[in-house]
Amino acid sequence: MSVRALWIISHEKGDNVSVRFTRRFATVEHRAKILAGSSYVAVPEDSSVLQLLLTEMGLSDSDKCYVALRDDCLHRQRSPALELRVDSPGKGILWPVLAISHGPLTLVCLPIVDAPAEPRPPLASLLSVSQGLTLLAGLQTFLLGSGGKPDNEGLASRLAMLPSVLLQVCPLGTPLDVPLSGAPATSTVPTPAGNQKQPAWKTGLHRGRAVVNVALKETVRSMQYGNRSRQDLWDVYGTVTCKCEVEGMLPNVTMTLTLPPNGSPLQDILVHPCVTSLDSCILTASSVDNCDGSAFSGPYKFPFSPPLEPFRLCSYTSQVPVPPILGSYQLREEENHLHMSVNLKLHESVKNSFEYCEAHLPFFNRDQMGVVDVKVSSGQMDVSKEKNLLVWALGQKFPKSREVTMEGKISFSGATLGPTDPLCTELTAYIKLYFKVPDMTLSGCCVDQHSVQVYSSAKPRIITSRELQSKEYFIWNSTGTAPVSSGLLF
């Protein structure tokens, strides 16, 4: 959440209304212009903003019973998120303009909304609205104090301190905190990320025991052809996601990735900017270069100062010797039906315990399915004739042999045409596998709880997890043509 502009308006003495403070953030305005595109509406001059606000809030033209911009029945005011109708030079509507009033002051801000202008999203779905209002409430408390009615000298001195305070609590228009009530301006030098405080505007503050959660996820892709003239391809992409829930000061953390003794070195490593230092040899391993035996194979240490929100600490690729599931798929066309033969084999290095495992067999550019006569050695078969799709649910375990088969025939009725795909014509067909294996990675990479070091007196609970998941995992019919990639999948 960021703020495009901020205004503080004084209306203490009747009609004597003025803008006491204004701040615009050019970088946020540039982002708003890019997000809005052709529907972008620029923020007008302060005098125009003041007049539009006073009209919208009913503080001007008090002698007039009816003001069209304010009182028209087609205009529904949704306080405190107002809309300002700008006439020139950039005609349009500024929304949501957040405003809160207390005592002699009205505080106003215009947050950036990362959502389409039409249809207008509901306010409850916009986190920027709640965060912007809390920022305004914090600034109001800072300026007025707990009593709400400071003397003129006290208000003037705090308004003079506001530029330096905003440098700390809202640098470049992005709120990080709210100022303490009546707190003096302190040094504007940014504090290290490890000393960040939980922002007062952040919803769902953590209470209770501190927790550091590290999740390692590997995604495997594969293109298998079952044909010696085409090279099978597979690759592994891994990510490490962290979330630190610590009340108060966020500590510095060191996390270590380890590989088994015979594991392939990690490659193409990218790290989050919060990583404070890193061995240069970790970043030099690339899947593009020919890897030799001298490649760095760990352990991979990542010291970092965590940000306030969940984040991706690092990502990597790994070249593993075999895919987790080897498959073969054969289709033969006989008169008005297809004869199919499928074999899937789970590699011995893969844990035989799935959260789910399914094989989808779609049939494109054919008439709708008729009679389906298919037998499987394990699992259950679901048929969707409307979609021309077979779904083979393999369950959570392969049999002891780690191998499953499917044989059968499918006829097509010719009554209606099934789904189409310009690629899958004639015998060009595939099986797509969907599976997830908890508590394992294909590369053998892991994060041990004891390797996560948190430099804090809070003694947080360390939670680590890992999983392997498929994505774009295809087994092509070996008796038909198939698309062939000339390089790695990642």
Side-chain angles (χ1 to χ4, degrees):
M1 176 266 181
S2 298
V3 175
R4 296 170 61 180
L6 174 71
W7 299 272
I8 298 178
I9 300 170
S10 173
H11 46 82
E12 184 175 9
K13 297 179 180 179
D15 295 332
N16 186 17
V17 181
S18 62
V19 177
R20 299 288 299 272
F21 178 86
T22 181
R23 177 58 50 88
R24 298 168 185 250
F25 300 96
T27 54
V28 182
E29 191 66 20
H30 182 66
R31 284 167 49 201
K33 188 174 183 179
I34 294 174
L35 286 172
S38 60
S39 60
Y40 168 72
V41 179
V43 180
E45 297 296 327
D46 292 342
S47 58
S48 300
V49 172
L50 177 60
Q51 188 59 44
L52 292 170
L53 276 170
L54 294 178
T55 301
E56 184 72 15
M57 299 175 70
L59 299 177
S60 67
D61 299 317
S62 57
D63 56 330
K64 296 181 180 180
C65 297
Y66 176 79
V67 178
L69 286 177
R70 181 190 66 206
D71 304 320
D72 192 287
C73 62
L74 296 177
H75 173 57
R76 294 179 297 172
Q77 189 185 71
R78 296 183 181 275
S79 178
L82 312 175
E83 63 176 33
L84 303 185
R85 298 177 180 271
V86 180
D87 291 331
S88 61
K91 189 175 182 180
I93 297 177
L94 287 177
W95 181 89
V97 179
L98 307 179
I100 59 173
S101 297
H102 186 74
L105 297 182
T106 295
L107 287 81
V108 183
C109 75
L110 176 61
I112 190 171
V113 176
D114 189 8
E118 295 295 340
R120 184 174 290 180
L123 288 177
S125 67
L126 297 176
L127 184 60
S128 58
V129 171
S130 60
Q131 292 178 347
L133 289 172
T134 312
L135 173 65
L136 293 180
L139 293 175
Q140 175 185 273
T141 304
F142 168 76
L143 293 170
L144 301 179
S146 57
K149 291 184 178 180
D151 58 276
N152 290 334
E153 292 184 0
L155 179 58
S157 65
R158 290 173 184 173
L159 283 171
M161 294 160 52
L162 200 53
S164 59
V165 170
L166 285 176
L167 284 177
Q168 301 172 57
V169 301
C170 191
L172 298 178
T174 302
L176 299 178
D177 206 341
V178 293
L180 300 177
S181 176
T186 57
S187 171
T188 59
V189 178
T191 57
N195 295 328
Q196 296 179 82
K197 291 192 300 180
Q198 191 86 347
W201 46 260
K202 184 176 182 181
T203 57
L205 293 176
H206 179 71
R207 293 290 183 265
R209 185 176 179 182
V211 177
V212 176
N213 196 319
V214 183
L216 172 58
K217 177 181 178 180
E218 284 191 351
T219 302
V220 57
R221 299 184 183 184
S222 182
M223 296 279 276
Q224 299 179 33
Y225 302 102
N227 194 319
R228 292 183 179 180
S229 63
R230 305 170 192 153
Q231 182 182 1
D232 293 346
L233 298 174
W234 60 89
D235 211 338
V236 174
Y237 176 73
T239 59
V240 179
T241 304
C242 298
K243 182 179 181 181
C244 298
E245 295 179 329
V246 181
E247 185 176 353
M249 308 287 281
L250 288 179
N252 291 320
V253 182
T254 299
M255 188 274 299
T256 304
L257 291 177
T258 57
L259 290 171
N262 59 344
S264 300
L266 304 183
Q267 298 174 331
D268 308 317
I269 296 177
L270 298 176
V271 298
H272 191 276
C274 72
V275 176
T276 55
S277 63
L278 202 62
D279 194 332
S280 60
C281 62
I282 292 179
L283 299 176
T284 55
S286 172
S287 59
V288 178
D289 303 327
N290 291 325
C291 183
D292 57 17
S294 62
F296 183 78
S297 58
Y300 302 84
K301 289 191 176 182
F302 300 90
F304 60 95
S305 296
L308 300 167
E309 67 280 350
F311 68 103
R312 178 181 292 182
L313 176 64
C314 67
S315 63
Y316 62 87
T317 64
S318 178
Q319 297 183 10
V320 294
V322 292
I325 297 178
L326 289 165
S328 67
Y329 181 29
Q330 292 184 341
L331 279 179
R332 295 193 308 272
E333 196 154 11
E334 302 174 357
E335 297 180 355
N336 195 31
H337 66 265
L338 288 177
H339 183 275
M340 59 190 326
S341 175
V342 180
N343 179 275
L344 300 176
K345 186 172 183 179
L346 180 66
H347 193 266
E348 58 184 11
S349 64
V350 179
K351 183 179 178 181
N352 191 8
S353 178
F354 293 81
E355 185 173 318
Y356 59 83
C357 184
E358 290 184 352
H360 290 202
L361 293 80
F363 298 91
F364 297 103
N365 306 313
R366 296 181 180 275
D367 296 333
Q368 193 176 50
M369 278 185 180
V371 178
V372 178
D373 182 15
V374 175
K375 294 182 180 180
V376 295
S377 63
S378 180
Q380 295 181 344
M381 180 65 68
D382 293 327
V383 180
S384 175
K385 294 186 177 181
E386 295 79 10
K387 299 180 180 180
N388 274 14
L389 176 67
L390 300 182
V391 178
W392 185 7
L394 294 164
Q396 296 181 327
K397 279 184 178 292
F398 273 60
K400 290 185 178 180
S401 63
R402 289 180 168 254
E403 190 170 357
V404 293
T405 59
M406 177 174 65
E407 295 279 346
K409 293 182 179 181
I410 304 175
S411 64
F412 298 90
S413 63
T416 57
L417 185 65
T420 60
D421 187 310
L423 179 64
C424 297
T425 59
E426 298 180 348
L427 290 178
T428 301
Y430 61 81
I431 299 173
K432 188 172 183 180
L433 295 184
Y434 298 85
F435 59 84
K436 180 188 287 189
V437 187
D439 196 28
M440 82 151 289
T441 55
L442 202 57
S443 66
C445 187
C446 67
V447 181
D448 183 45
Q449 285 185 342
H450 302 291
S451 72
V452 180
Q453 299 178 343
V454 182
Y455 303 96
S456 169
S457 58
K459 295 182 180 179
R461 178 188 177 194
I462 309 297
I463 301 175
T464 61
S465 62
R466 59 177 181 166
E467 67 180 29
L468 173 67
Q469 189 171 355
S470 66
K471 183 179 182 180
E472 306 299 321
Y473 203 104
F474 292 97
I475 300 171
W476 291 89
N477 172 32
S478 59
T479 62
T481 58
V484 179
S485 173
S486 60
L488 295 176
L489 296 178
F490 289 99

